[in-house]
Structure formats: structure tokens, C-alpha cells
């Protein structure tokens, strides 16, 4: 949008803080190559358009906006004379894409000194060559540093996840190894017991009864009910007393195994009725080996299933063999991230999932969103660790108008009011020195806002901090179509 041209007064622009050190000749050149324009209330330029002009306000009021998702968010509003905006990086030339990085509007009749971008770049190079070199070094050096530290941040997160995943995998793997070794021992004892039985003078019907009891006992193991600690203790006492009454040695050692398998006194009475009294101890020993074998096989199955689930979660988290952009279920992404971070979350932090399962799949870059969840959960855990190491992490999903809301709430120390406007700035961190790079939230903001056209907001007070991620339900291409 162009304004109404008005005369340019070198003395007026020389009174601005930006130009106050210039010579009369330099001010004259600015007025000759630039112009003064008067704008009525409305837009001056729009974010994303080619940056063609450098604007310095002479009088009036300006408002700067940034596009966040589909909304324009006000960044600043000022009436201070001399404030500037527009093509401020024109001196970098073609090395940087020259577009407006924000939108500017005026709320009342406002005058600007307007300098074409090419003229601004030429004057900067001619009048301030050393300053231009310093600014170039600062700009590109900052970008390089941000990329390097961002890569470091990702590597640190990967290392933390790898350590947590290794710890989580080690537990079921070790349990499977122990169960396998014990199972080998029990099977050996069963072969020995079978040989003893085979050498005895047992009638065929007795052997048939033993085999039938073994099969029915194995079936009961598969259907064993889950008992409370008090119920299990009472049943163990009853089974121990029954075994002692039958003269079976070390009944107290056998009883917990039988109770875990779902066997009770009624079942043992059926066993006693099915076999002769002289072979009852051998039958009980034989059934004990059967029960132990079934329980060990269940333990191995549970352990290997746990390993399989962890591998699936790791695959889901990293999105291996998946299209980078697809329609994804945020609940699957959240669950895989929570599982990957379970070692870091620890047992003293309670995780509450408040999911709205009716929400649809959304168009997204799943691996990138998992990075966002990781950063937000990591910050929540750090805040609760700073508050004593205990707390509650609440992960909630819901529909909010035409967007999907993912909220991470924690009961940590909270974010000070003076820091809330800066937490998404690159390199800003509230963590102790050496514990944070200040790029986790910056990366998250870029992924959500720039890549998914969503938004992030935060509400915080001590004991209740909530990071809310809002994501579109439809892709930008679908909306335009």
C-alpha cells in the first residue's frame, strides 16, 4: 500500500535518533533519494511480501503483527518517533530472502520517511562499511550458532531417550533371561520326576489321572484370578495348612506358587481324591513343577511382549518407515513419547491421560510433533524436579473450535511472570547453567507455528503450568482447495 507523498524536510528527519549523527550532506541525500509519505489508518505492508522499502515513523501510531497459524498476532504498538521497520536486512542482498518478516498497520494518520530497499542497502555499504561487516557477521554467525546448538539439542535429547529406552528394554530382557534359566532347571526336574514315576508300579488309570490333573492344572494357571495382597496371604495360609495336614514337606514353599496359579484348597481336595494317598506327595510335587513351568512361560511371554511394545513405541516415536507428512492420531504419538520418556519421568511423577478419543486424525509431520511433545514433557519434568521431584503430569486432548488442543499440565515451580514473554526466544532458558540450551521451546514453536500453522500458548502459576498446542484439523492445501 502506498501513501500520499508530502515534502521531505532534512531538518525533520535529522532530529530522529536514527539519523541524528548524519551530516547535512547525508541528510540531503536521504531526502533526495527517499520520500515522506502519509498513510491513512490501515495496512502499510504485509508479512511475506517482497521487502521493497525501509520505513521510519515521523509521527502517528504503528502496530506490528506476526502471522501465527491463520491469525495475525499483535507484536508491538508504539507512537515513538523514529521507530523503524520494513527491509532492515536489505544490506545482506541476495544471501537472504528479502521479504517482510511482519505486517505493519497504522491506527491513525501517520507519516513515514520511506527509503527504497536498494537505496538503503547502497547507503549502508557506502557510509557504514565496518558496521555492515559486523552486522553480517552477527546475523550469519547467529544463524550458524543456532543451527549448531539446535543439532546439539537434538543429539542430547536422542542420548537421553536412548539411555531411557535401554533401561526400559533391560528390565524385561533380564527377566526373560532369568525365567529361561529357571525354566530349564524346572524342566530337568520334571524329567527326573517322570522317570521316578515311570519306574514305579502305578496302574495305567493312576497315570491317566495324573496326566488329566496336569492338564486341568495348566488350564487353571492360564485363568488365575488377580488377588489382593490380603486375599493372597489368607489363601497361602490355608494352602500351607492343607499341605502340612497331608504330611507334604515344605508346604510353605509350595503354597505361594499354587496361590499365584489360582489353586486353592478345594482344588487340592480334588487332587487328593483322584490319586492314592501313598503317591499324593509325588503328585503334588509333579503339579508344582507343572505350575512353575506355566508361570515361567507366562513371565517369558510377558517380557518378550514388553520388549516388542517398546520396539513398536520406538518405531512410532521415530516414525521409521512412515511418510514424513500424513494424517496421524495424536494419541498414538503422545503414548509413544510418554513410553519413551518413562525412564526420565520416573516413578515419583504421576502421569494422567485425559484424552478425547473422538478427535479425528490430523495432517501432520508426526516425527516433528514427537519432538515437540518431548521438549514440553522434559520441561514439565524439570519443573517438578525443581519443586521436590514429585508431582503430576497431565496430558489432555480436546477440540477447541476448529483446532485440536494438546495440553501439558504440571505441578512444578511455574514460570515467573517476567519470563513468560521470552520463553520461546532462541537461547533463553530458566534452567541452571549447563542444563539447558534455550532452544527446546524455540524449536517447538517453529515446528508448531511455521510447519503446522498452529500456535502455542502458556498459562503458569506456581503448582499449575499449562502449555497448550493448537493444531489445525485440516491441511492448508485442503483449506485452499
Amino acid at each position: 500500500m502506498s501513501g500520499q507523498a508530502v515534502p521531505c524536510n532534512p531538518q525533520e528527519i535529522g532530529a530522529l535518533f536514527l539519523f541524528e549523527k548524519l551530516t547535512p550532506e547525508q541528510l540531503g541525500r536521504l531526502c533526495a533519494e527517499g520520500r515522506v509519505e502519509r498513510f491513512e489508518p490501515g495496512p502499510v505492508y504485509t508479512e511475506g511480501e517482497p521487502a521493497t522499502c525501509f520505513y521510519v515513523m515521523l509521527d502517528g501510531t504503528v502496530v506490528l503483527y506476526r502471522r501465527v497459524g491463520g491469525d495475525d498476532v499483535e507484536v508491538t504498538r508504539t507512537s515513538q518517533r523514529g521507530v523503524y521497520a520494513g527491509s532492515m536486512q536489505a544490506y545482506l542482498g541476495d544471501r537472504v530472502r528479502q521479504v517482510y518478516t511482519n505486517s505493519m498497520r497504522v491506527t491513525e494518520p501517520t507519516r513515514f520517511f520511506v527509503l527504497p530497499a536498494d537505496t538503503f542497502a547502497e547507503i549502508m555499504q557506502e557510509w557504514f562499511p565496518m558496521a555492515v561487516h559486523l552486522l553480517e557477521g552477527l546475523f550469519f554467525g547467529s544463524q550458524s550458532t543456532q543451527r549448531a546448538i539446535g543439532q546439539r539439542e537434538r543429539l542430547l535429547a536422542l542420548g537421553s531417550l536412548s539411555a531411557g529406552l535401554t533401561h526400559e528394554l533391560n528390565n524385561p530382557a533380564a527377566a526373560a533371561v532369568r525365567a529361561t534359566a529357571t525354566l530349564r532347571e524346572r524342566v530337568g526336574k520334571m524329567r527326573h520326576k517322570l522317570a521316578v514315576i515311570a519306574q514305579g508300579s502305578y496302574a495305567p488309570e493312576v497315570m491317566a489321572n495324573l496326566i488329566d490333573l496336569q492338564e486341568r492344572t495348566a488350564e487353571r494357571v492360564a485363568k488365575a484370578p488377580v488377588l489382593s495382597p490380603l486375599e493372597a496371604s489368607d489363601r497361602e495360609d490355608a494352602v500351607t495348612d492343607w499341605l502340612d495336614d497331608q504330611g507334604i514337606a515344605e508346604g510353605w514353599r509350595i503354597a505361594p506358587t499354587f496361590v499365584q496359579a489360582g489353586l486353592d484348597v478345594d482344588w487340592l481336595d480334588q487332587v487328593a481324591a483322584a490319586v492314592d494317598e501313598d503317591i499324593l506327595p509325588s503328585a503334588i510335587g509333579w503339579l508344582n513343577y507343572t505350575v512353575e513351568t506355566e508361570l515361567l512361560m507366562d513371565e517369558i511371554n510377558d517380557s518378550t511382549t514388553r520388549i516388542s511394545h517398546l520396539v513398536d513405541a520406538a518405531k512410532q516415536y521415530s516414525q521409521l518407515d512412515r511418510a514424513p507428512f500424513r494424517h496421524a492420531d495424536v494419541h498414538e504419538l503422545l503414548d509413544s513419547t510418554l513410553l519413551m520418556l518413562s525412564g526420565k519421568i520416573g516413578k515419583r511423577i504421576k502421569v494422567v491421560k485425559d484424552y478425547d478419543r473422538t478427535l479425528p486424525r490430523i495432517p501432520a509431520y508426526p516425527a516433528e510433533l514427537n519432538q515437540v511433545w518431548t521438549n514440553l514433557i522434559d520441561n514439565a519434568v524439570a519443573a517438578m524436579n525443581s519443586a521436590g521431584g514429585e508431582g503430576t503430569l497431565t496430558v489432555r486432548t480436546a477440540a477447541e473450535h476448529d483446532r485440536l488442543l494438546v495440553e501439558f499440565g504440571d505441578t512444578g515451580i511455574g514460570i515467573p511472570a517476567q519470563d513468560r514473554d521470552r520463553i520461546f526466544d532462541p537461547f533463553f532458558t530458566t534452567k541452571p547453567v549447563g542444563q539447558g540450551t534455550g532452544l527446546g521451546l524455540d524449536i517447538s514453536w517453529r515446528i508448531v507455528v511455521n510447519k503446522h500453522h498452529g500456535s502455542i500458548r502458556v498459562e503458569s502459576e506456581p503448582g499449575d503450568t499449562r502449555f497448550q498446542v493448537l493444531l489445525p484439523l485440516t491441511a492448508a492445501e485442503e483449506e485452499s482447495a
Side-chain angles (χ1 to χ4, degrees):
M1 177 179 177
S2 60
Q4 177 187 358
V6 296
C8 176
N9 184 344
Q11 291 183 341
E12 183 182 28
I13 64 172
L16 303 175
F17 64 85
L18 194 62
F19 302 133
E20 62 184 356
K21 299 297 183 181
L22 299 183
T23 65
E25 291 78 13
Q26 290 173 323
L27 293 174
R29 180 179 174 183
L30 287 178
C31 265
E33 301 192 22
R35 60 189 183 274
V36 174
E37 292 187 14
R38 185 176 185 274
F39 289 81
E40 295 301 321
V44 177
Y45 62 76
T46 303
E47 180 178 349
E49 293 178 346
T52 58
C53 295
F54 177 70
Y55 295 86
V56 185
M57 190 180 76
L58 297 173
D59 53 56
T61 301
V62 299
V63 185
L64 296 182
Y65 298 87
R66 288 296 307 272
R67 178 58 60 94
V68 178
D71 303 321
D72 285 329
V73 179
E74 182 176 325
V75 176
T76 186
R77 179 185 296 256
T78 181
S79 299
Q80 180 183 354
R81 295 183 71 246
V83 294
Y84 51 89
S87 58
M88 294 184 294
Q89 296 173 348
Y91 59 87
L92 296 173
D94 295 337
R95 290 171 292 177
V96 173
R97 184 166 173 256
Q98 295 294 335
V99 295
Y100 292 119
T101 57
N102 51 40
S103 299
M104 184 164 71
R105 299 176 60 89
V106 296
T107 59
E108 61 178 316
T110 302
R111 289 188 309 133
F112 291 97
F113 172 69
V114 183
L115 197 60
D118 293 341
T119 304
F120 175 60
E122 181 182 337
I123 286 177
M124 286 288 292
Q125 296 283 354
E126 182 180 337
W127 292 356
F128 314 108
M130 182 176 178
V132 168
H133 286 304
L134 291 173
L135 289 171
E136 288 177 347
L138 179 63
F139 179 81
F140 291 112
S142 171
Q143 283 192 329
S144 177
T145 300
Q146 188 165 338
R147 282 194 299 268
I149 295 184
Q151 183 69 12
R152 174 68 173 171
E153 180 96 358
R154 289 180 171 87
L155 289 173
L156 288 173
L158 179 61
S160 176
L161 287 172
S162 298
L165 180 60
T166 301
H167 174 76
E168 291 296 317
L169 286 170
N170 182 66
N171 290 335
V177 170
R178 289 194 303 269
T180 302
T182 307
L183 179 62
R184 186 186 302 275
E185 177 186 350
R186 293 297 183 271
V187 171
K189 289 183 176 181
M190 285 183 68
R191 289 197 300 267
H192 174 72
K193 182 67 70 175
L194 182 61
V196 172
I197 293 175
Q199 292 172 3
S201 56
Y202 301 119
E205 59 271 16
V206 174
M207 293 298 297
N209 284 341
L210 285 174
I211 297 300
D212 180 62
L213 282 172
Q214 183 186 36
E215 292 295 330
R216 288 192 290 150
T217 300
E219 291 176 2
R220 287 184 69 96
V221 174
K223 301 175 183 178
V226 178
L227 302 177
S228 68
L230 184 59
E231 291 173 332
S233 177
D234 290 343
R235 186 172 291 187
E236 286 176 16
D237 291 341
V239 171
T240 301
D241 292 342
W242 188 94
L243 294 172
D244 291 342
D245 292 343
Q246 302 299 323
I248 296 173
E250 296 188 330
W252 60 271
R253 191 185 299 275
I254 299 174
T257 303
F258 278 5
V259 171
Q260 184 181 356
L263 307 186
D264 53 17
V265 171
D266 291 340
W267 176 257
L268 294 175
D269 285 338
Q270 295 180 42
V271 173
V275 299
D276 294 336
E277 184 178 349
D278 58 332
I279 67 169
L280 180 61
S282 296
I284 293 295
W286 172 255
L287 294 180
N288 182 45
Y289 290 143
T290 299
V291 168
E292 287 185 332
T293 302
E294 291 294 322
L295 293 175
L296 287 168
M297 286 191 292
D298 286 344
E299 184 176 349
I300 293 171
N301 181 67
D302 290 342
S303 299
T304 52
T305 301
R306 170 71 174 163
I307 292 172
S308 178
H309 287 166
L310 286 167
V311 172
D312 287 343
K315 188 175 181 180
Q316 169 73 20
Y317 179 84
S318 62
Q319 292 296 303
L320 291 174
D321 303 327
R322 303 286 184 94
F325 183 82
R326 63 183 182 86
H327 281 74
D329 184 346
V330 292
H331 303 110
E332 293 179 358
L333 306 182
L334 290 167
D335 286 342
S336 66
T337 304
L338 287 168
L339 183 55
M340 293 290 289
L341 293 174
S342 58
K344 190 167 191 176
I345 294 172
K347 299 186 181 300
R348 299 178 63 191
I349 294 177
K350 179 182 179 182
V351 177
V352 176
K353 298 178 183 179
D354 182 10
Y355 291 167
D356 180 357
R357 295 284 186 178
T358 64
L359 292 171
R361 291 174 173 265
I362 62 170
Y365 296 87
E368 305 263 0
L369 286 182
N370 281 339
Q371 181 68 40
V372 175
W373 312 150
T374 299
N375 291 336
L376 297 180
I377 293 172
D378 182 67
N379 285 346
V381 171
M384 287 184 280
N385 286 337
S386 298
E390 295 182 351
T392 301
L393 171 66
T394 303
V395 184
R396 182 171 72 93
T397 62
E400 186 167 306
H401 304 298
D402 59 343
R403 296 191 178 191
L404 185 148
L405 168 69
V406 182
E407 181 182 83
F408 298 85
D410 69 74
T411 56
I413 58 176
I415 303 171
Q418 67 271 17
D419 292 337
R420 287 175 207 160
D421 293 336
R422 304 179 58 199
I423 56 175
F424 295 106
D425 292 348
F427 308 112
F428 178 80
T429 179
T430 58
K431 295 178 182 177
V433 176
Q435 294 186 21
T437 62
L439 284 179
L441 289 179
D442 174 57
I443 291 171
S444 300
W445 191 91
R446 292 173 186 274
I447 291 172
V448 172
V449 176
N450 294 345
K451 207 155 189 178
H452 290 84
H453 307 291
S455 62
I456 302 183
R457 61 194 185 201
V458 60
E459 301 173 0
S460 182
E461 60 184 44
D464 184 13
T465 296
R466 302 179 188 183
F467 277 89
Q468 297 176 328
V469 178
L470 290 162
L471 298 168
L473 294 174
T474 57
E477 292 79 6
E478 294 176 358
E479 291 174 352
S480 62

